Amino acid sequence: MPAIRTEVVETSSLGDRSYLAHDGRVALVVDPQRDIDRFLTLAGRLGVRITHVAETHVHNDYVSGGLALARVTGAAYLVAAADDVDFDRTAVTDGDEIALSETMRVRVVATPGHTFNHLSYVVSGPDGGPEGVFTGGSLLFGTTGRTDLLGPDHAHPLAYRQHASVRRLADLLPDGAGIWPTHGFGSFCSASQSDAAASTIGQEKRSNPALRLEADDFVAETLAGLDAYPAYYAHMGVRNTAGADLVDLTPARTADAAELRERIAAGEWVVDLRSRKAFAQRHLAGTLSFGLDGPMSTWLGWMAEWGAPLTLLGETPEQVADAQRELARIGIDRPAAAASGTPREWAGGDDARLGGLAVASFTDLADARAGRVPGHLPAPDVVLDVRLRGEWQAAHIDGAVHVPLPDLPRRLDEVPAGTVWVHCGSGYRAAAASSLLQRAGRRVVHIDDAFGQAAATGLPITDH
């Protein structure tokens, strides 16, 4: 067993990882998420004391829990000296070394690229040799962090700096050193995605484009692959520069059926957290499908107007609480209201306020286009693809209309008239889109199917 043990605290809904590294007595927490109770619980279970909290960068995809965790534990809070923040911290810069204990040391390495002031932290054990590096949004598994989050004007120069930073880490560390990135597990902060569960410097030398391509080629490939990222990112850096305090996860106020009716009538976002299959079977009319079994906070936070009231509906209070925690991680601290139970209870027993959603497959769409419309479905007048731009450009159904899901709330009028059959890559985003269209009074069929199956049905696929 290594002298320094690193525990992963995963936030799969946002595609991020935080870490707790310890020597059996003291611990360093790196890039903690907003809900710091997870780190306190982990430290208690391990019997270690959190003495240091470190940020690799001012995060764009979530509200950091670093300041709150440092204040609660009395830990030193390591933040780049070059970052202009509104709170006291232990300012660190390239080359600094911090002794966490007699057996555990951290060296600070400047790795600009994902942001201008990005840092990585090399952890060494009692023999002084590096055991691994916390790379934040720099060197990721099979890729690097994207370089356009500070604005398109900075993307090109930061991509060159990202290439140099990754090369520097590879030169500094032995092949056996572990890498522990914050992004890259579905996060939009990653330039691309990898299925790897773990990696080392040596593994990355063999596979990572930043370590295989020359700078010009890497920059061109990286910039060409960038797609849209969530609109709420614009608020995260500002919040983290100011410093977020403790999060309030106490239950939201319960809304009764009359209040839910009023909120829906006012055009507010009343969100059904149940699975999309449950939503399709029966739901409270006017509600929107963002199932907790998928990346709910990413898409909801991206699409809803920032600061607008959100009401959460779940099967159980626990489901609502889970959603509340996820939303707090991106700075949506308090739902306007919530309710748990069944759609009929939310409707106050009024079945006229309940609705369903027609569901189809790509096989059904192929049949319908061939004139064999399944009897239980209306014929399609429009096929709407709500995937992102890069997905559409790679391949799409010939004749489909493209409106990326994040754009749909403000572009509903651009969807041609008639019955709309909606699809995405797997079904989750199409459910959200279908519910938005249905709320707007459109007749909708939700294609709950994997886009990879579309070609096999005979549907014409093109990249033009």
Side-chain angles (χ1 to χ4, degrees):
M1 180 178 291
I4 308 302
R5 290 164 308 273
T6 300
E7 302 282 343
V8 178
V9 180
E10 191 150 11
T11 306
S12 57
S13 58
L14 294 178
D16 289 319
R17 287 180 175 180
S18 305
Y19 300 91
L20 185 149
H22 69 97
D23 63 358
R25 296 186 300 110
V26 301
L28 163 73
V29 173
V30 181
D31 290 346
Q33 290 271 341
R34 183 85 186 282
D35 44 333
I36 65 171
D37 56 318
R38 293 187 293 165
F39 306 96
L40 297 170
T41 299
L42 177 59
R45 179 171 61 80
L46 296 170
V48 298
R49 182 167 60 92
I50 298 171
T51 60
H52 292 74
V53 178
E55 300 285 6
T56 57
H57 60 293
V58 175
H59 302 285
N60 289 287
D61 62 329
Y62 64 86
V63 178
S64 172
L67 179 60
L69 182 60
R71 285 175 172 171
V72 166
T73 60
Y77 189 27
L78 313 182
V79 177
D83 282 329
D84 185 14
V85 296
D86 298 337
F87 49 83
D88 293 332
R89 89 293 203 185
T90 300
V92 292
T93 191
D94 184 60
D96 286 351
E97 293 201 12
I98 299 106
L100 280 69
S101 71
E102 295 176 356
T103 60
M104 185 176 176
R105 298 183 68 84
V106 167
R107 177 184 174 187
V108 181
V109 180
T111 47
H114 187 51
T115 63
F116 284 105
N117 304 322
H118 191 285
L119 302 174
S120 295
Y121 297 89
V122 177
V123 179
S124 299
D127 63 358
E131 297 199 6
V133 56
F134 297 102
T135 58
S138 185
L139 176 60
L140 312 184
F141 296 165
T143 184
T144 60
R146 62 192 300 159
T147 63
D148 61 337
L149 296 181
L150 301 182
D153 292 344
H154 299 304
H156 188 265
L158 280 176
Y160 276 100
R161 299 185 76 175
Q162 185 77 295
H163 183 265
S165 291
V166 170
R167 293 291 180 102
R168 183 185 183 198
L169 288 175
D171 290 341
L172 277 175
L173 297 167
D175 285 358
I179 68 166
W180 300 302
T182 302
H183 306 312
F185 313 97
S187 168
F188 281 91
C189 275
S190 176
S192 62
Q193 298 302 325
S194 168
D195 294 329
S199 191
T200 64
I201 291 292
Q203 288 173 280
E204 293 306 311
K205 285 180 178 179
R206 293 188 292 273
S207 63
N208 197 302
L211 297 173
R212 294 176 57 250
L213 300 176
E214 294 303 317
D216 290 346
D217 293 334
F218 168 78
V219 170
E221 182 177 293
T222 297
L223 297 183
L226 296 176
D227 208 333
Y229 56 82
Y232 66 79
Y233 278 24
H235 305 279
M236 299 300 96
V238 175
R239 187 75 176 272
N240 287 326
T241 298
D245 208 340
L246 288 170
V247 64
D248 179 5
L249 294 177
T250 56
R253 185 179 55 78
T254 300
D256 60 16
E259 181 179 344
L260 293 177
R261 181 196 292 269
E262 291 172 1
R263 291 188 177 279
I264 291 169
E268 293 184 11
W269 286 53
V270 180
V271 177
D272 191 327
L273 300 167
R274 299 172 304 143
S275 73
R276 60 183 184 266
K277 294 186 185 303
F279 182 89
Q281 186 172 10
R282 176 179 281 194
H283 59 264
L284 179 61
T287 57
L288 303 174
S289 176
F290 288 86
L292 196 60
D293 55 349
M296 176 274 300
S297 58
T298 294
W299 295 109
L300 180 56
W302 193 337
M303 296 167 63
E305 183 180 351
W306 193 254
L310 296 178
T311 299
L312 305 179
L313 306 180
E315 291 173 316
T316 64
E318 290 76 20
Q319 193 175 57
V320 173
D322 288 345
Q324 188 175 336
R325 178 182 289 266
E326 287 199 13
L327 290 169
R329 291 170 180 156
I330 62 169
I332 302 175
D333 286 354
R334 299 294 297 168
S340 57
T342 66
R344 196 165 194 276
E345 289 172 324
W346 302 331
D350 182 359
D351 288 348
R353 294 180 60 198
L354 299 177
L357 185 61
V359 178
S361 67
F362 282 114
T363 298
D364 293 328
L365 177 60
D367 288 344
R369 280 193 158 190
R372 302 184 302 273
V373 182
H376 64 292
L377 296 171
D381 297 303
V382 184
V383 175
L384 177 65
D385 184 337
V386 297
R387 297 174 302 152
L388 296 181
R389 175 182 56 85
E391 296 171 284
W392 166 268
Q393 291 176 341
H396 58 267
I397 297 171
D398 194 22
V401 173
H402 181 228
V403 180
L405 178 62
D407 298 345
L408 188 59
R410 64 179 183 275
R411 294 177 59 187
L412 284 168
D413 291 344
E414 297 179 27
V415 180
T419 298
V420 187
W421 286 43
V422 187
H423 82 85
C424 61
S426 64
Y428 185 90
R429 289 172 289 176
S434 296
S435 64
L436 278 165
L437 287 160
Q438 191 179 59
R439 187 180 71 166
R442 300 298 299 271
R443 194 176 192 188
V444 185
V445 175
H446 169 211
I447 301 176
D448 193 0
D449 201 354
F451 182 73
Q453 304 298 318
T457 69
L459 289 166
I461 305 298
T462 182
D463 58 2
H464 302 300

